[in-house]
């Protein structure tokens, strides 16, 4: 057996490995490398960790970085507290056998996910516009005009508003994943529970939820990675300066401004790479915590 | 990889050379000049009006206008210059982008051009070395800041055009009291209007134009000095006169509010003129930024925006210089300014313009002193970038999120962190 040639393994893996290396691994490591250099008077020179010392040591840079990280964290918290529970609830409702038009609801809720960020950002900006938007009109029609505020323009609401827009766009993803997980629960288990007197809500909490926990775990980690890589929605809705007063600035927009420059600010690829590296480290740490601390302890059930 | 690309470019250059040789064979003395530009909006103006006028007066020189997309222009131009395939004439962005090209030997020194005498020092400042010794682009146009107003609204409410700050706020109060119109159309969502049409619009009256701007560059004035803080105090008062929800109002929102006749005053740049002429159905007027006391010297932001220079590697330098001399002439100034109302010639020769709104704007040059936006020259080279910080500070001050004094102190600290004369 051992003498049998394994060459075919390499041959079949090669295309994927080569493409992935060329478009993902090489750029990734090159970015990490770039963060160790500085450029002065057109000459690039190795600077060790100087860019990171600036990023975390210089009060201006570090303030911008921690502000962006804090905003990013809040962006993630809103998704975890709003998007995922709503996704689970929607999936539970959709998987109810007696619900009519389930396919219609499923498609309607999932459709925003396939829209472009630019369209979503622009459409919501118009909906919420204090001048032309329909939001003030709708609130007025139900006598709640006083509740309206130019949310995207207020420091205290802008980030939460954008996070909720993103939730609106992506709630279809946890819904679909959980829906699939719920459908895969065998009827026998639920029937066995029924015989023991566990029905309705209690069946959901005691039987279904434990069985879909691994899916919720996967959704959480996808949300985490997606949110800490987010950029498009903020850029489309608020521009690269992530106003008002950087209250919607997340790591992605901070990276963009630094790397590519903005208006009279020239781009600095090296500082930008340092921020990209920090983002990579944060996401890597988050994923590792999940993989080693949570996933290994999660109990799995074999049907 | 790199080698291959270079060879390909060499081949292309060779091919072009062959074409050029054949062309020379046909018309023995014709020289073709190519213009690099980001103004693709102006293609028809160049082809139908400007170039024919030049070619008629200068037989033997042909000119081609070959613009690229504005957002890509700097990158495209740089790679063309590096590869040696750029056109003979280069349209120049103001300040550091062009200065870097000159320092890198890509743009020729044009200080010796006779037409340079037709331009004031302020007009040339955007395309000079920091010491002002070398000028490398011929200034073409500037944009002027001020306020455009709805004449019908002013007549209806019986408001005179304000000349002083007190009159300005009295007019705003009156419009607000009446309630028919939003007093002023501006939002803080996009931030740059607050800085460009706010701070740098009204500011020159306080820092006395060039005097204050140069003092700031030399380090003898600070952003925390009274002339630099007072414009922020004025901006802080604006918030009360902007439309409902101005915090989320974008630049196109403001333009539409004004041209739909829902707002009475629009803090403007003259580039709005053609667009507003096409959109608005009421008569518009304009007034310069109000002064503190009646009779004070007035200052306007007459911001140098576009110029044209000579590719240092151009094989047709002599013909290109002829063209540049013509760009510096009164004839070109008149052609250009009339084709593009709102982009004003920087030429010292007075230019007759047909558009009344453009005429109004340019008439301020006669009674007020011109300056450029305070943040553009030298002061936005470092990090934090003063121009970007000014956007943020101006928007914050209008929203009331930061006091004028705090904003000024923050900008000063940021500038002092990298700019030696301010340390």
């Amino acid at each position: 057996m051992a003498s049998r040639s394994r060459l075919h393994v390499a041959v079949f893996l090669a295309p994927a490995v080569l493409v992935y290396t060329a478009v993902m691994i090489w750029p990734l490591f090159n970015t990490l490398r770039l963060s160790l250099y500085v450029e002065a008077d057109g000459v690039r020179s190795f600077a060790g960790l100087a860019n990171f010392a600036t990023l975390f040591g210089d009060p201006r840079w570090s303030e911008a970085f921690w502000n962006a990280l804090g905003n990013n964290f809040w962006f993630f918290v809103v998704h975890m507290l709003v998007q995922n529970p709503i996704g689970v609830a929607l999936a539970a409702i959709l998987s109810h056998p007696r619900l009519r038009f389930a396919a219609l609801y499923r498609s309607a809720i999932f459709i925003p996910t396939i829209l472009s960020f630019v369209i979503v950002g622009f459409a919501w900006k118009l909906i919420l516009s204090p001048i032309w938007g329909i939001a003030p009109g709708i609130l007025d029609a139900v006598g709640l005009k006083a509740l309206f505020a130019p949310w995207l323009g207020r420091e205290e609401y802008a980030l939460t508003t954008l996070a909720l827009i993103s939730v609106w766009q992506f709630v279809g993803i946890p819904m679909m994943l959980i829906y699939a997980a719920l459908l895969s629960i065998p009827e026998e288990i639920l029937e066995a529970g029924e015989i023991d007197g566990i029905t309705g809500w209690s069946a959901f909490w005691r039987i279904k939820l434990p069985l879909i926990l691994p899916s919720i775990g996967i959704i959480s980690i996808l949300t985490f990675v997606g949110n800490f890589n987010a950029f498009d929605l903020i850029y489309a809705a608020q521009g690269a300066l992530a106003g008002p007063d950087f209250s919607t600035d997340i790591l992605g927009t901070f990276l963009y401004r630094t790397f590519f420059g903005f208006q009279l600010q020239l781009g600095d690829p090296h500082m930008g790479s340092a921020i990209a590296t920090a983002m990579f480290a944060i996401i890597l740490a988050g994923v590792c915590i999940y993989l080693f601390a949570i996933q290994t302890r999660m109990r799995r059930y074999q049907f | 990889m790199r080698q291959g690309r270079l060879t390909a470019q060499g081949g292309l250059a060779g091919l072009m050379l062959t074409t050029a040789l054949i062309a020379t064979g046909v018309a023995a003395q014709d020289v073709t000049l190519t213009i690099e530009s980001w103004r693709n909006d102006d293609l028809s103006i160049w082809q139908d009006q400007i170039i024919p006028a030049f070619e008629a007066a200068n037989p033997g020189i042909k000119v081609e206008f070959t613009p690229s997309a504005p957002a890509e222009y700097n990158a495209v131009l740089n790679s063309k210059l590096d590869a040696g395939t750029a056109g003979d004439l280069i349209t120049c962005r103001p300040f550091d982008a062009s200065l870097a090209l000159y320092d890198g030997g890509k743009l020729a020194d044009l200080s010796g051009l006779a037409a340079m005498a037709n331009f004031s020092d302020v007009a040339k400042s955007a395309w000079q070395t920091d010491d002002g010794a070398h000028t490398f682009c011929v200034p073409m146009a500037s944009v002027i800041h001020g306020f455009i107003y709805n004449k019908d609204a002013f007549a209806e409410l019986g408001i005179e055009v304000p000349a002083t700050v007190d009159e300005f706020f009295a007019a705003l109060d009156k419009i607000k009291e009446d309630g028919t119109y939003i007093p002023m159309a501006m939002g803080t969502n996009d931030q740059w209007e607050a800085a460009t049409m706010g701070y740098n619009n009204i500011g020159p009256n306080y820092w006395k134009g060039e005097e204050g701007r140069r003092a700031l560059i030399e380090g003898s004035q600070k952003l925390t000095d009274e002339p630099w803080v007072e414009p922020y105090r004025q901006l802080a008062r604006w918030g009360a006169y902007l439309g409902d929800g101005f915090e989320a109002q974008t630049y196109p929102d403001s333009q539409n509010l004004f041209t739909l006749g829902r707002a009475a005053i629009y803090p403007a740049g003259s580039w709005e003129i053609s667009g507003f002429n096409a959109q608005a159905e009421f008569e518009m007027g304009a007034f310069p930024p109000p002064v503190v006391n009646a009779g004070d010297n007035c200052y306007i932001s007459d911001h140098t925006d576009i110029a044209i220079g000579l590719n240092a590697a151009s094989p047709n330098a002599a013909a290109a210089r002829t063209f540049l001399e013509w760009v510096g002439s009164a004839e070109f100034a008149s052609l250009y300014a009339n084709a593009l109302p709102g982009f004003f010639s920087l030429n010292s020769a007075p230019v007759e313009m047909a558009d009344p709104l453009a005429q109004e704007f340019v008439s301020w040059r006669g009674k007020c002193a011109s300056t450029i936006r305070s943040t553009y020259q030298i002061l936005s080279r470092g990090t934090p970038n003063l121009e970007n910080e000014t956007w943020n500070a101006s928007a914050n001050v209008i929203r009331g999120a930061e006091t004028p004094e705090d904003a000024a102190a923050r900008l000063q600290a940021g500038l002092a962190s990298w700019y030696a004369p301010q340390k």
Side-chain angles (χ1 to χ4, degrees):
Chain A
M1 277 300 270
S3 65
R4 213 171 99 187
S5 167
R6 297 257 175 172
L7 193 67
H8 64 282
V9 175
V11 169
F12 281 113
L13 276 180
V17 169
L18 286 178
V19 170
Y20 194 73
T21 306
V23 301
M24 294 295 293
I25 298 177
W26 188 76
L28 175 66
F29 280 95
N30 211 22
T31 306
L32 300 185
R33 187 180 66 86
L34 207 57
S35 68
L36 302 177
Y37 288 78
V38 289
E39 190 172 321
D41 302 323
V43 183
R44 183 187 287 181
S45 58
F46 185 78
L49 296 174
N51 287 331
F52 294 94
T54 310
L55 183 59
F56 297 108
D58 182 291
R60 240 169 282 280
W61 281 100
S62 65
E63 193 195 322
F65 178 80
W66 295 117
N67 171 52
L69 185 62
N71 288 339
N72 225 324
F73 197 74
W74 177 242
F75 199 66
F76 171 62
V77 166
V78 171
H79 280 80
M80 283 302 283
L81 292 184
V82 182
Q83 175 187 284
N84 296 349
I86 290 181
V88 174
L90 286 173
I93 296 168
L94 280 179
S95 66
H96 195 279
R98 274 181 299 175
L99 181 76
R100 296 169 72 191
F101 310 119
L104 176 72
Y105 295 137
R106 207 172 52 211
S107 315
I109 295 169
F110 193 73
I111 277 175
T113 308
I114 59 174
L115 291 179
S116 144
F117 280 102
V118 181
I119 294 172
V120 171
F122 189 72
W124 274 98
K125 238 175 125 166
L126 267 183
I127 292 171
L128 298 176
S129 162
I131 302 158
W132 333 102
I134 55 165
I138 290 175
L139 283 175
D140 202 18
V142 293
L144 293 174
K145 181 77 197 290
L147 282 184
F148 182 79
W151 289 299
L152 285 174
R154 293 271 171 88
E155 275 171 55
E156 57 272 40
Y157 307 127
L159 183 63
T160 311
T161 310
L162 285 166
L164 292 174
I165 292 171
S166 170
V167 165
W168 171 83
Q169 185 180 7
F170 287 116
V171 74
I173 298 216
M175 181 192 78
M176 281 304 208
L177 287 170
I178 300 291
Y179 181 63
L182 284 174
L183 289 187
S184 71
I185 298 174
E187 276 298 309
E188 300 86 56
I189 296 182
L190 294 172
E191 279 165 14
E194 247 171 76
I195 292 166
D196 288 341
I198 302 169
T199 53
W201 268 116
S202 133
F204 176 78
W205 287 111
R206 294 195 180 168
I207 301 173
K208 292 180 181 171
L209 195 62
L211 290 175
I212 58 171
L213 264 186
S215 299
I216 293 179
I218 288 291
I219 289 162
S220 307
I221 202 66
L222 284 177
T223 310
F224 175 78
V225 174
N227 286 167
F228 276 81
N229 271 328
F231 160 74
D232 329 47
L233 180 67
I234 311 276
Y235 182 73
Q238 306 292 74
L241 275 187
D245 199 14
F246 299 108
S247 63
T248 58
D249 197 24
I250 58 174
L251 291 169
T253 44
F254 180 45
L255 160 71
Y256 175 85
R257 275 200 316 277
T258 311
F259 198 105
F260 296 103
F262 182 66
Q263 190 65 10
L264 296 192
Q265 169 86 62
L266 299 175
D268 183 348
H270 307 287
M271 236 9 239
S273 298
I275 297 169
T277 305
M279 283 172 75
F280 176 68
I282 291 164
I283 294 172
L284 191 69
V287 173
C288 285
I289 290 172
Y290 171 76
L291 284 181
F292 298 116
I294 299 176
Q295 203 179 34
T296 49
R297 285 179 203 177
M298 211 176 270
R299 291 164 72 180
R300 283 166 193 288
Y301 302 90
Q302 295 281 334
F303 307 131
Chain B
M1 260 313 256
R2 200 176 171 82
Q3 193 67 42
R5 207 169 62 202
L6 284 178
T7 318
Q9 274 163 356
L12 197 66
L15 196 69
M16 283 164 70
L17 194 66
T18 323
T19 324
L21 284 174
I22 295 167
T24 323
V26 174
Q29 295 179 342
D30 269 11
V31 175
T32 301
L33 300 174
T34 313
I35 304 176
E36 302 283 350
S37 175
W38 70 88
R39 292 291 309 173
N40 45 15
D41 289 353
D42 304 349
L43 182 62
S44 62
I45 291 162
W46 279 89
Q47 283 179 341
D48 302 342
Q49 302 181 34
I50 298 175
I51 293 174
F54 173 77
E55 286 177 347
N58 295 276
I61 305 179
K62 299 261 171 251
V63 182
E64 264 177 43
F65 186 71
T66 57
S68 40
E72 293 156 18
Y73 179 69
N74 295 16
V76 168
L77 178 66
N78 285 342
S79 50
K80 276 184 175 175
L81 285 169
D82 286 338
T85 57
D88 306 281
L89 297 157
I90 312 288
T91 308
C92 304
R93 298 269 194 196
F95 300 105
D96 287 3
S98 292
L99 182 59
L101 291 180
Y102 174 74
D103 286 341
K106 307 292 185 197
L107 287 176
D109 186 359
L110 298 176
S111 311
L113 224 55
M116 282 296 177
N118 300 340
F119 298 95
S120 70
D121 285 344
V122 177
K124 288 186 281 196
S125 63
W127 300 282
Q128 281 180 327
T129 47
D130 290 354
D131 57 7
H134 304 278
T135 309
F136 40 82
C137 298
V138 181
M140 281 164 73
S142 71
V143 290
I144 298 179
H145 288 296
F147 296 84
I148 298 179
Y149 67 95
N150 182 331
K151 271 193 178 170
D152 297 355
F154 270 43
E156 192 185 317
L157 300 178
I159 298 171
E160 295 290 314
V161 174
T164 65
V165 172
D166 290 339
E167 289 170 17
F168 178 65
F169 283 104
L172 288 171
D173 280 329
K174 205 163 176 185
I175 304 166
K176 195 178 178 183
E177 239 166 70
D178 174 75
T180 318
Y181 300 93
I182 298 167
M184 192 149 53
M186 194 170 87
T188 57
N189 188 83
D190 297 353
Q191 305 189 35
W192 68 269
E193 305 109 286
T196 311
M197 275 104 108
Y199 190 69
N200 266 312
N201 181 359
I202 61 170
N205 274 331
Y206 298 90
W207 60 71
K208 303 202 181 309
E210 282 297 281
E211 190 188 320
R213 192 180 71 82
R214 288 187 187 283
L216 194 64
I217 291 171
E218 284 159 14
S220 58
Q221 283 188 20
K222 292 184 182 321
L223 288 167
T224 45
D225 290 349
E226 201 51 22
W228 299 90
V229 184
E230 186 57 27
Y232 280 124
R233 293 203 192 99
Q234 298 293 325
L235 283 189
R237 296 170 68 185
W238 284 22
Y241 302 102
L242 305 179
D244 266 351
F246 71 87
E247 295 100 325
Q249 185 176 324
T250 63
Y251 172 56
D253 286 345
S254 309
Q255 290 176 309
N256 285 321
L257 275 182
F258 182 74
T259 53
L260 287 172
R262 283 171 58 180
I265 299 177
Y266 181 88
S270 58
W271 65 85
E272 307 279 15
I273 292 176
S274 354
F276 279 13
N277 279 341
Q279 296 283 328
E281 282 173 6
F282 48 87
E283 213 185 327
M284 288 176 291
F287 58 89
V291 293
V292 181
N293 302 306
D296 278 359
N297 287 335
C298 60
Y299 299 85
I300 52 168
S301 167
D302 187 354
H303 190 70
T304 46
D305 193 49
I306 183 168
I308 189 161
L310 169 61
N311 180 353
S314 166
N316 308 315
R321 279 177 186 270
T322 310
F323 182 79
L324 291 171
E325 290 283 7
W326 182 74
V327 168
S329 72
E331 186 193 357
F332 175 85
S334 163
L335 267 177
Y336 192 77
N338 277 301
L340 292 163
F343 288 86
F344 301 111
S345 165
L346 287 162
N347 203 300
S348 309
V351 173
E352 282 298 319
M353 277 181 296
D355 187 272
L357 202 53
Q359 270 174 2
E360 176 62 39
F361 267 96
V362 87
S363 72
W364 305 337
R365 280 187 182 162
K367 54 185 181 183
C368 304
S370 292
T371 182
I372 56 173
R373 292 178 202 152
S374 58
T375 50
Y376 270 59
Q377 192 182 25
I378 303 174
L379 299 178
S380 286
R381 266 178 208 167
T383 308
N385 185 283
L386 184 62
E387 168 71 0
N388 294 0
E389 295 257 287
T390 303
W391 291 18
N392 176 264
S394 306
N396 282 356
V397 165
I398 292 177
R399 285 189 299 118
E402 196 171 19
T403 66
E405 292 74 17
D406 287 352
R410 181 165 63 92
L411 295 191
Q412 177 62 28
L415 183 61
S417 74
W418 62 267
Y419 186 56
Q422 286 287 352
K423 274 180 184 164

